[in-house]
Amino acid sequence: MKAIKDQKGRWLFVAPVSGLILSPGINREILINKITFVNRSKMARIRKRLGFQLTVGDLKKKKEIIFDTFFNEAKSFAVCQLGGSGVEKEKEFLKIARDEINILSLSQLGYGRRRLNASLSLSKEKRPGTLSYFMMHTGNKKWTMQNKKSGRFMEITFDKNWQKFQKFSFFYDLLELLRGNLNVSDRWLLDIYNAAVLAGQSQSSSDLPQAFLWNMIAIETLLTHRGDSYSTALPKRVEAFIGWTTDWSVSNFESKIGEVYQKRCKFVHAGQFDEIKIEDLLFTDLLLVNIFYNILKHIDMFRDKDSLIQFSKKVQAEHILGVKPKVRPKSLKFLNMNYSDKDYEGI
């Protein structure tokens, strides 16, 4: 007889999600694309819609496989149905669930502040731990034992305030795109998907160089083609979206983009990351929120990446010719992010 996972058929996958609270303000659930994220208290009520063949109560009674503990492990769960071989679909579910959790995490971009962000994860994969170490003064032999919590303990609550911000921002436009409701090229859809996953990983990370690198790769994924000279292409393509703002010239954005790109190259090619500062990460957050917003709010203009690149070239041509700007739509926006001194202390 085949092992359970070797069999083919329709499979229901359910996994706890750490760091996420789904409030009544958003009806205690949210669908990203293939994964439904649902509050624990609601899951039992909608179990048939989700695909449960047994009640959650019946499953909890099966003490030999600790269902009671499992269904009380987290406040939210990821639920998905997939058809095919159990072994193959298990791997597919874990990848999709992790990706879509990162997309959920992306909603923190612009909404929250880095130092207060939640680290969303499947089950307890990324949950915080404890850092312990011993210190002794070798002269007077006095010592101390340090025990500190490490990692991110915060949770993010998806409520009416979260929903209101996301409707203003780009997140719900992103969901429409990922669900196939907007007409874009397959390659462009994949690029936006990958950039969203990377940027979401960055929002959950408490490692400064890693978070910075994920942001930079997400920006490059959205704005560049293979073969581009990134050091010259990136400033021009960002400028096409937000170069009209006072901040672009007053804050010298073009120079800053060059600086963060050089730091990215030193990290990737020479393993040098000491120069990466919290200011660099927050600057790339600012770039990303504006890039995502202006692309997704104008997706009719940008059906593929070539359209975006041509848009940038036309804006540059206007600069060179000194003609009255006509290429940029008046609906482009610049979303600024204000930080306190504490925001610059670290992530």
Side-chain angles (χ1 to χ4, degrees):
M1 182 177 176
K2 286 185 177 181
I4 291 176
K5 292 198 295 185
D6 290 332
Q7 298 176 30
K8 293 184 178 180
R10 193 73 181 165
W11 294 89
L12 172 69
F13 293 93
V14 183
V17 177
S18 297
L20 176 64
I21 300 173
L22 301 167
S23 82
I26 64 160
N27 201 25
R28 298 189 187 276
E29 68 175 291
I30 184 169
L31 171 69
I32 298 303
N33 185 17
K34 294 183 179 180
I35 305 287
T36 297
F37 295 89
V38 60
N39 184 285
R40 180 179 65 202
S41 65
K42 184 176 182 179
M43 187 162 56
R45 300 200 308 271
I46 61 169
R47 58 102 179 171
K48 288 185 178 179
R49 169 157 66 86
L50 295 174
F52 283 81
Q53 299 304 303
L54 296 172
T55 69
V56 175
D58 287 340
L59 289 170
K60 285 183 176 182
K61 292 175 185 177
K62 297 180 181 295
K63 300 292 186 182
E64 70 276 10
I65 46 179
I66 60 171
F67 270 118
D68 188 47
T69 302
F70 176 82
F71 283 110
N72 289 307
E73 182 179 348
K75 297 172 184 175
S76 301
F77 285 80
V79 184
C80 178
Q81 291 188 69
L82 298 169
S85 164
V87 172
E88 295 175 0
K89 296 303 144 181
E90 177 185 28
K91 294 177 182 177
E92 183 179 341
F93 165 72
L94 292 174
K95 181 188 183 307
I96 294 170
R98 290 182 180 118
D99 282 357
E100 295 199 11
I101 284 172
N102 284 323
I103 291 169
L104 281 178
S105 182
L106 176 63
S107 72
Q108 297 180 105
L109 177 62
Y111 177 68
R113 290 297 176 263
R114 281 276 181 174
R115 62 189 175 86
L116 301 175
N117 274 4
S119 178
L120 306 185
S121 68
L122 198 61
S123 193
K124 297 179 181 178
E125 285 186 320
K126 299 178 184 177
R127 295 315 289 161
T130 304
L131 173 64
S132 300
Y133 55 92
F134 169 82
M135 296 172 62
M136 175 179 278
H137 188 290
T138 58
N140 58 27
K141 298 181 182 178
K142 291 184 178 180
W143 58 270
T144 179
M145 178 66 75
Q146 297 294 307
N147 291 286
K148 301 178 180 180
K149 292 181 177 180
S150 63
R152 294 190 175 276
F153 295 84
M154 290 72 77
E155 296 175 315
I156 182 170
T157 300
F158 287 10
D159 55 16
K160 286 186 177 179
N161 288 331
W162 176 89
Q163 186 180 62
K164 181 179 179 180
F165 177 85
Q166 304 307 334
K167 285 183 176 179
F168 158 77
S169 188
F170 63 84
F171 190 70
Y172 279 102
D173 301 276
L174 175 64
L175 297 189
E176 285 294 299
L177 182 71
L178 298 181
R179 294 169 187 167
N181 297 331
L182 301 175
N183 182 27
V184 298
S185 73
D186 291 343
R187 178 69 250 183
W188 187 217
L189 175 61
L190 181 59
D191 282 343
I192 294 174
Y193 176 88
N194 288 338
V197 170
L198 289 166
Q201 282 183 298
S202 175
Q203 288 297 309
S204 278
S205 178
S206 55
D207 182 299
L208 173 59
Q210 183 185 67
F212 171 79
L213 183 59
W214 292 154
N215 266 7
M216 288 300 299
I217 296 174
I219 292 169
E220 292 164 20
T221 301
L222 290 170
L223 298 184
T224 63
H225 269 318
R226 181 176 294 181
D228 282 336
S229 172
Y230 288 10
S231 60
T232 56
L234 281 176
K236 290 179 180 178
R237 290 177 193 160
V238 177
E239 194 276 340
F241 288 117
I242 61 174
W244 52 273
T245 66
T246 303
D247 295 71
W248 179 267
S249 54
V250 171
S251 299
N252 202 5
F253 275 22
E254 185 170 1
S255 176
K256 285 184 178 179
I257 293 170
E259 289 172 10
V260 294
Y261 180 72
Q262 288 304 313
K263 291 183 180 183
R264 171 261 191 218
C265 290
K266 288 181 180 179
F267 183 20
V268 171
H269 300 301
Q272 297 177 18
F273 54 84
D274 290 347
E275 294 181 12
I276 299 171
K277 307 300 180 187
I278 183 66
E279 292 88 340
D280 301 316
L281 178 61
L282 297 181
F283 178 63
T284 59
D285 276 350
L286 178 64
L287 297 182
L288 264 176
V289 74
N290 282 283
I291 293 166
F292 271 123
Y293 180 92
N294 284 306
I295 288 175
L296 291 166
K297 291 295 185 182
H298 300 88
I299 202 66
D300 287 343
M301 288 180 60
F302 306 122
R303 297 295 191 184
D304 51 38
K305 190 180 290 184
D306 286 336
S307 300
L308 184 151
I309 292 172
Q310 288 304 312
F311 166 75
S312 174
K313 288 180 177 178
K314 289 177 181 178
V315 171
Q316 292 302 313
E318 285 182 336
H319 295 337
I320 293 169
L321 296 172
V323 299
K324 184 178 179 180
K326 294 181 179 179
V327 175
R328 290 189 183 113
K330 293 182 179 180
S331 50
L332 287 180
K333 280 187 170 57
F334 176 66
L335 309 180
N336 205 351
M337 297 166 68
N338 298 314
Y339 297 107
S340 68
D341 291 341
K342 283 191 174 182
D343 293 318
Y344 291 97
E345 292 176 2
I347 63 169

